[in-house]
Amino acid sequence: MRNSGKAAIISILTPLFAFSSSGLAQDRARATDENSARPAVGRSSDWRTPLIGRLANGVRFAILPRKGNDPGVGLLMRNEGGFIAEHRAGERGLAHLIEHIAFHSPTTAAPDDLDHLKRIGLPLTFPAANAGSTSWRETNYYLSTKTTASSDLDALLTLLKDAASGMNLRTDAVDTSRGEVVREMADKKLGNQIYASYIGQVAPGSPNDVIDAQNSDDVPIASITTIRGLYRRLYRPANMMIVIVGNVKVDEVRSLIERRFGDWKPIGPPSRKTPFPVFQPNRIHPISFSALPEGRRTAFMTVVMPTPRPPSSRAIQARAEIMDLLVTRAINDRLAALQPSSSPGKVGIFIENGEQGHRQIMLWDNFVEDRWKPAVAGLRNSACDLVTKGFTTKEWAAAKQNLVVDLEHQVAEMPMAANVEIAKDLSHALADGRHLIPPDELLRYARTMLPQIDGRSGGEWWRQQWSSGTGHLRVEAPELARIENTLSAIRSAANGPSTIPTCKYL
């Protein structure tokens, strides 16, 4: 696919490729800490301060000790350079293929052991729907161990290191993996096409628009030589990150990471870094539509802007997250109140903050057949009302109160959070230059911050955000195929009779 939550929006915008299948010796390369302290906001009751560092050969690591309810640990290996690094002819989709091969290929340490990683690793881990994923920018492998035993963790780190540096890419393992990936591409083809069509209109030129690796014709025919070439370019110490979350001893785990990954040397010189493409606002048209017979029925009003710079401090990031959460809560409540008889999730707002290469604010309405005009008009009126009038005192107060309740609930649920899910979140945060702020810390920030934010300042924040990007209205419905001039019809629906005559979206 060209690209790689909250309940209703998951089916709309979720990336569609989640596949799957005693200290260091003084004479060895010493790891350097990048971050070891949390600011004086207060220590989390469930998460202790993570140790974040980098080995001398470039392997990055993060160890987050916590108690939680999991009996074992969450273990993640992240390789930077997904579909975006497939810049040579015949390589499209091979990063995903390599992800699958890792679970099948024998290694230099076990040259005759097909499915080596699975055979050794499965008895030590809990089953999961997915143990790997590949996106436009990285490949992830994630495991949940059954215990915190050092021997189990060492065995799994050894398997991951073998997958990262020692796969022999035996033909039968590669062919098995080809079949898996080809079937996944076929299963996800329609969803990939729907998403690619959408993102090509709201964020043209972005990674998920220009990459077509998930519909690749190269996967079935690529030679072992081509696959090995990409494997050697991508799987290098400088591109690797190891994240471990759970009730562990930090020094012991750090020593295990150093033991297994510290002597890894790359093969060949480093390859050039592929620059990330960015969306091109000048190519965004005011309106687009899709009339696929098998498509969905939904209307989107979006604003897309460049990915924000990494925050300069933990406090600044926390305030930005709280404002996103607060405004999302206020607008979701308003949209739901405008359609009280609709099912939950029919309408809503979604803020995506850079995972796909841009920041996007979206209002949506999942309408029923032949009700696209009221959906378009309703979104237009809601957007105009928010820009011109902002939030009422009552709805803003309710949003603040409900946000605190939401965060309190998340705090209560913190021990139930799976270690592997926290490991995923931590890896994304580190890759983006952000902090991973736990719910209880975010709640402390919120309790300090919310009393100082009134509805008027919330409205000003929203107007600034809504005007910071390029707007677009998109409608998707099979029945649009019956309309002769679809763009004009959508424009008329959007600019028709309005509760705010002076606010014309298009």
Side-chain angles (χ1 to χ4, degrees):
M1 154 158 190
R2 295 193 186 188
N3 79 295
S4 104
K6 313 298 190 225
I9 201 63
I10 289 178
S11 63
I12 298 174
L13 279 184
T14 293
L16 296 178
F17 44 77
F19 315 118
S20 64
S21 357
S22 64
L24 305 182
Q26 295 294 323
D27 60 344
R28 299 203 60 185
R30 183 175 298 275
T32 57
D33 294 346
E34 296 177 350
N35 174 40
S36 59
R38 175 172 292 164
V41 175
R43 186 178 296 278
S44 164
S45 59
D46 182 54
W47 300 2
R48 290 164 56 197
T49 301
L51 175 68
I52 300 168
R54 192 184 298 270
L55 304 182
N57 61 4
V59 173
R60 197 171 184 183
F61 67 86
I63 307 165
L64 194 162
R66 67 182 290 256
K67 293 182 179 179
N69 288 358
D70 279 2
V73 304
L75 171 59
L76 179 145
M77 182 172 76
R78 174 187 177 115
N79 177 250
E80 298 294 338
F83 295 139
I84 199 67
E86 301 168 344
H87 52 74
R88 295 183 182 175
E91 289 184 340
R92 280 300 188 213
L94 299 192
H96 179 202
L97 177 60
I98 292 169
E99 173 215 318
H100 278 253
I101 295 172
F103 293 94
H104 297 294
S105 178
T107 66
T108 54
D112 299 316
D113 192 3
L114 192 66
D115 296 331
H116 177 68
L117 190 153
K118 292 196 294 184
R119 186 178 67 79
I120 303 297
L122 282 179
L124 305 178
T125 60
F126 288 106
N130 296 307
S133 63
T134 297
S135 76
W136 65 269
R137 64 178 187 170
E138 90 273 347
T139 292
N140 292 298
Y141 304 88
Y142 24 82
L143 306 168
S144 294
T145 71
K146 293 180 178 179
T147 75
T148 59
S150 179
S151 58
D152 290 350
L153 186 53
D154 188 43
L156 292 171
L157 284 171
T158 301
L159 289 173
L160 291 177
K161 168 56 169 31
D162 288 344
S165 65
M167 287 198 293
N168 63 19
L169 304 179
R170 209 168 81 180
T171 301
D172 51 356
V174 172
D175 288 343
T176 296
S177 303
R178 290 188 207 267
E180 292 174 349
V181 175
V182 167
R183 286 191 295 272
E184 285 188 3
M185 290 193 297
D187 290 343
K188 298 176 184 292
K189 186 172 184 179
L190 176 60
N192 292 337
Q193 290 174 338
I194 291 173
Y195 187 87
S197 174
Y198 167 82
I199 208 69
Q201 296 297 325
V202 302
S206 65
N208 296 307
D209 176 43
V210 301
I211 299 172
D212 198 20
Q214 185 53 15
N215 297 313
S216 168
D217 293 328
D218 295 334
V219 169
I221 61 173
S223 68
I224 300 293
T225 300
T226 300
I227 298 169
R228 180 174 286 113
L230 182 64
Y231 174 54
R232 295 306 186 197
R233 289 207 326 268
L234 294 187
Y235 284 69
R236 306 172 65 84
N239 292 346
M240 201 64 71
M241 180 193 301
I242 305 298
V243 180
I244 295 177
V245 177
N247 192 5
V248 297
K249 296 177 181 178
V250 172
D251 289 342
E252 182 178 281
V253 172
R254 175 176 171 172
S255 180
L256 291 176
I257 295 172
E258 164 66 16
R259 182 189 308 168
R260 295 305 168 198
F261 285 85
D263 61 356
W264 181 15
K265 293 180 175 59
I267 297 177
S271 59
R272 65 178 176 86
K273 287 285 186 181
T274 305
F276 292 162
V278 296
F279 85 98
Q280 301 173 27
N282 60 306
R283 289 177 50 199
I284 300 176
H285 299 292
I287 303 173
S288 71
F289 71 94
S290 173
L292 287 175
E294 313 90 344
R296 56 196 175 183
R297 288 184 172 86
T298 189
F300 307 96
M301 188 164 284
T302 65
V303 167
V304 177
M305 61 200 75
T307 301
R309 293 180 180 274
S312 58
S313 74
R314 195 180 188 95
I316 289 175
Q317 178 183 323
R319 288 196 292 269
E321 289 184 19
I322 289 168
M323 282 304 299
D324 280 358
L325 291 171
L326 182 59
V327 169
T328 297
R329 161 63 79 170
I331 295 177
N332 272 328
D333 289 346
R334 174 182 290 192
L335 294 175
L338 292 173
Q339 299 189 35
S341 61
S342 297
S343 59
K346 178 184 181 295
V347 291
I349 177 177
F350 175 71
I351 299 179
E352 193 283 317
N353 205 31
E355 180 74 12
Q356 308 305 323
H358 51 264
R359 175 173 167 87
Q360 179 180 183
I361 302 176
M362 175 215 298
L363 305 177
W364 84 84
D365 188 325
N366 296 325
F367 52 84
V368 297
E369 187 172 1
D370 290 324
R371 296 291 294 170
W372 66 269
K373 289 183 179 180
V376 167
L379 288 181
R380 185 280 318 275
N381 286 339
S382 294
C384 287
D385 203 44
L386 286 165
V387 169
T388 57
K389 299 179 180 179
F391 304 98
T392 68
T393 301
K394 182 178 179 180
E395 65 186 359
W396 192 249
K400 291 198 290 186
Q401 180 180 0
N402 291 331
L403 176 57
V404 170
V405 171
D406 289 345
L407 290 173
E408 288 174 341
H409 177 73
Q410 292 179 37
V411 171
E413 295 291 316
M414 281 178 69
M416 278 72 81
N419 287 327
V420 73
E421 295 303 322
I422 297 174
K424 293 176 188 178
D425 291 341
L426 180 55
S427 71
H428 289 312
L430 293 177
D432 294 340
R434 297 181 289 107
H435 303 277
L436 181 63
I437 303 178
D440 57 349
E441 184 181 344
L442 202 61
L443 176 61
R444 290 191 290 272
Y445 276 113
R447 284 175 169 157
T448 300
M449 176 181 171
L450 293 182
Q452 306 170 23
I453 309 171
D454 58 17
R456 183 170 63 178
S457 60
E460 291 172 353
W461 181 91
W462 173 256
R463 282 188 287 274
Q464 188 276 329
Q465 289 286 311
W466 195 251
S467 63
S468 293
T470 304
H472 182 80
L473 173 63
R474 182 168 178 82
V475 185
E476 300 185 7
E479 55 266 32
L480 295 178
R482 304 193 301 260
I483 301 174
E484 184 173 346
N485 194 331
T486 311
L487 292 178
S488 294
I490 294 173
R491 183 176 289 106
S492 296
N495 286 333
S498 171
T499 57
I500 311 171
T502 59
C503 183
K504 296 292 186 182
Y505 180 71
L506 303 168

